[in-house]
Amino acid sequence: MTEKVHLRAPIKIYDGGWVDVELVVTDSNLVIGKRSIPLREIEDLEDVEIEGVNCIQIKKEDKIILQLPKNLHQQVFKFIAFNLKADKFAVFFLSSATVGGVVSSNAQWEKGYFSVTDEGFWFLSAKYQKRIPIENLGSVKTDLRNVGGKQRKVLVLSHVEKSNVVTSLVLCPESTLEMLEGYLQRLFEKHKPAINLSDNEMEILTLIYSGLDFASVENIVGVSTDELNNYYDRLVDAGLAKVVKIRKEIELTPRGVSMVDKISKR
Amino acid sequence: MAKVLIVDDTAFMRKLLKNILFGAGFDIAGEAENGQQAVEMYRTLKPDVVTMDVVMPEMTGIDALKQIKTTIDKDAKIVMCTAIGQENIVKTAIKLGARGYIIKPFQAPKVIEEIKKVVGE
């Protein structure tokens, strides 16, 4: 029996450089050039930027990067997202309920799927296909929320999106909710960084998240520059932060001092 | 620039909010450690806006909100400041007249945006 072909298009695949191939999307396979990949064997999917171009990266043992014509990118991404190797649950979801500490006034409940892979979870609906890597999950719990005028038990997920802490809500039958909570808790524990933070370190992490600069953090926590540098190193080593800028501390040479002397007499 | 009263039982959170709001050009009218102090300071300082923590000793943020609204200033602009998971409490606060809320952990630009929105700038 031949499979239904949904799409056939010339695309490029990245292999150190771009190579022209044909992509064929069928009910259950992606055929990229001569390689056929069953959709149910795709472990992960992500939008990535390669050489300034928005691409689709799929993971099946290795990673495959596809550059599609702009008008097909979203269509193919959505199709793979709905069909990759994952456990999919019919739910209502609200993502994002809050962003960076402020309630999203324009967010609405969506009817769709909550899909869980080994690498993370997805909110899937006709409008949204949002992937949250498991390392971006901050907490998972159930709570009562007012949904459509009724108090309902929902799954509350806090996760990171574009450097913001975001909360998303999932509503589904209670038995599914409890199963999802347990599963995500276990996944979260497995990926949790193995580090115990001191009070100072927790405060520093919070301040950095809030967007404070080095001097403000130093001032609020009440530590010296060297001490704060050591804390920063530890947070970076633990994978909780990354270095984005190295500042220079300089002092004036005698010539510099003499220049300041001249400036002050002007 | 608008005067802000910061209410939170942890010194760390007060310092953080102070730093963010002062940096954005707000005047810091004062800092209170609990709801009782907040009510007293509101009466004397008459701030333009209050950032009010919810869970505090002696008097909670909800009780302080109620008291300020009913006994001092029914138009008081109070922004509740709470942790993830306390959104239901905040909904009660909104019913009681809170003008907005921010959820910890928060980011400076979002806090500033919310406070400016409440102050009407």
Side-chain angles (χ1 to χ4, degrees):
Chain A
M1 196 175 81
T2 53
E3 278 194 285
K4 185 182 171 192
V5 174
H6 292 282
L7 184 140
R8 188 185 289 275
I11 63 158
K12 292 178 193 295
I13 182 168
Y14 192 78
D15 188 14
W18 293 109
V19 180
D20 290 316
V21 288
E22 186 187 48
L23 170 72
V24 181
V25 181
T26 72
D27 275 339
S28 53
N29 288 285
L30 288 187
V31 185
I32 303 162
K34 288 180 180 167
R35 185 174 177 185
S36 180
I37 303 170
L39 287 160
R40 295 295 300 169
E41 289 179 18
I42 294 175
E43 293 161 13
D44 201 17
L45 165 74
E46 168 172 25
D47 263 329
V48 293
E49 203 179 289
I50 304 288
E51 296 172 351
V53 184
N54 194 20
C55 302
I56 292 176
Q57 176 177 278
I58 57 178
K59 187 182 163 201
K60 182 199 171 291
E61 294 147 11
D62 56 337
K63 286 179 177 169
I64 305 156
I65 295 165
L66 312 174
Q67 186 192 139
L68 287 102
K70 274 185 186 159
N71 60 330
L72 296 179
H73 181 103
Q74 196 48 39
Q75 183 189 341
V76 172
F77 187 89
K78 181 176 171 181
F79 187 79
I80 303 172
F82 269 89
N83 290 286
L84 54 74
K85 181 185 170 188
D87 295 314
K88 231 163 53 179
F89 304 90
V91 299
F92 286 91
F93 65 81
L94 180 65
S95 184
S96 313
T98 69
V99 178
V102 175
V103 174
S104 317
S105 50
N106 52 358
Q108 287 185 330
W109 284 94
E110 289 275 324
K111 188 179 178 181
Y113 293 96
F114 184 74
S115 168
V116 187
T117 71
D118 291 340
E119 312 270 336
F121 52 93
W122 289 78
F123 294 106
L124 297 172
S125 72
K127 248 166 55 188
Y128 298 106
Q129 297 87 46
K130 191 192 276 186
R131 171 189 182 270
I132 315 292
I134 196 67
E135 59 269 22
N136 286 5
L137 179 63
S139 69
V140 50
K141 62 178 183 176
T142 52
D143 197 9
L144 287 175
R145 293 301 162 92
N146 188 311
V147 182
K150 283 183 189 165
Q151 285 291 101
R152 305 285 300 268
K153 195 172 180 184
V154 297
L155 194 64
V156 183
L157 303 165
S158 84
H159 52 92
V160 177
E161 262 182 58
K162 294 175 188 158
S163 300
N164 283 312
V165 173
V166 163
T167 51
S168 297
L169 309 179
V170 176
L171 175 67
C172 59
E174 262 192 48
S175 54
T176 312
L177 208 66
E178 279 158 20
M179 187 269 294
L180 281 175
E181 185 189 16
Y183 181 76
L184 288 172
Q185 283 283 13
R186 285 194 294 278
L187 210 57
F188 174 61
E189 289 299 321
K190 205 171 110 185
H191 287 80
K192 204 165 73 173
I195 179 173
N196 287 321
L197 297 181
S198 66
D199 288 349
N200 269 356
E201 284 164 340
M202 284 192 268
E203 287 186 356
I204 290 166
L205 214 55
T206 308
L207 294 171
I208 295 169
Y209 173 73
S210 294
L212 268 57
D213 60 17
F214 191 98
S216 301
V217 176
E218 199 178 305
N219 182 32
I220 290 180
V221 184
V223 292
S224 70
T225 303
D226 285 345
E227 282 170 325
L228 188 54
N229 270 326
N230 289 337
Y231 281 124
Y232 276 18
D233 286 344
R234 197 168 128 79
L235 296 177
V236 170
D237 290 345
L240 299 174
K242 62 181 180 186
V243 177
V244 287
K245 196 186 285 179
I246 296 173
R247 287 179 198 281
K248 282 187 178 166
E249 287 293 335
I250 58 173
E251 65 174 20
L252 298 186
T253 61
R255 279 183 65 191
V257 174
S258 156
M259 183 67 75
V260 173
D261 187 43
K262 276 184 198 157
I263 295 165
S264 63
K265 285 173 186 158
R266 275 194 350 199
Chain B
M1 201 58 162
K3 286 190 297 179
V4 189
L5 172 63
I6 297 169
V7 187
D8 201 298
D9 61 330
T10 63
F12 167 70
M13 250 329 137
R14 292 199 303 275
K15 279 186 196 171
L16 171 55
L17 280 167
K18 194 170 150 183
N19 188 293
I20 291 171
L21 296 172
F22 186 74
F26 289 97
D27 289 331
I28 308 302
E31 295 174 39
E33 290 178 22
N34 57 52
Q36 189 59 52
Q37 269 187 18
V39 174
E40 285 157 18
M41 290 176 84
Y42 191 93
R43 202 186 303 275
T44 53
L45 299 171
K46 302 208 173 3
D48 299 301
V49 62
V50 181
T51 66
M52 180 80 79
D53 188 20
V54 172
V55 182
M56 290 184 292
E58 292 181 44
M59 184 190 280
T60 69
I62 297 286
D63 290 336
L65 163 75
K66 237 188 273 180
Q67 205 159 322
I68 291 170
K69 284 281 194 181
T70 53
T71 64
I72 307 174
D73 178 5
K74 66 176 173 46
D75 296 320
K77 291 174 177 168
I78 300 177
V79 175
M80 305 309 287
C81 187
T82 182
I84 286 174
Q86 294 173 338
E87 288 90 337
N88 276 340
I89 301 174
V90 175
K91 284 190 183 145
T92 310
I94 299 287
K95 280 185 193 156
L96 290 169
R99 295 289 185 91
Y101 63 102
I102 45 184
I103 296 168
K104 301 169 196 171
F106 44 70
Q107 290 196 308
K110 304 275 181 188
V111 173
I112 295 162
E113 191 185 312
E114 185 72 0
I115 301 290
K116 281 187 174 171
K117 195 174 80 189
V118 169
V119 172
E121 283 179 0

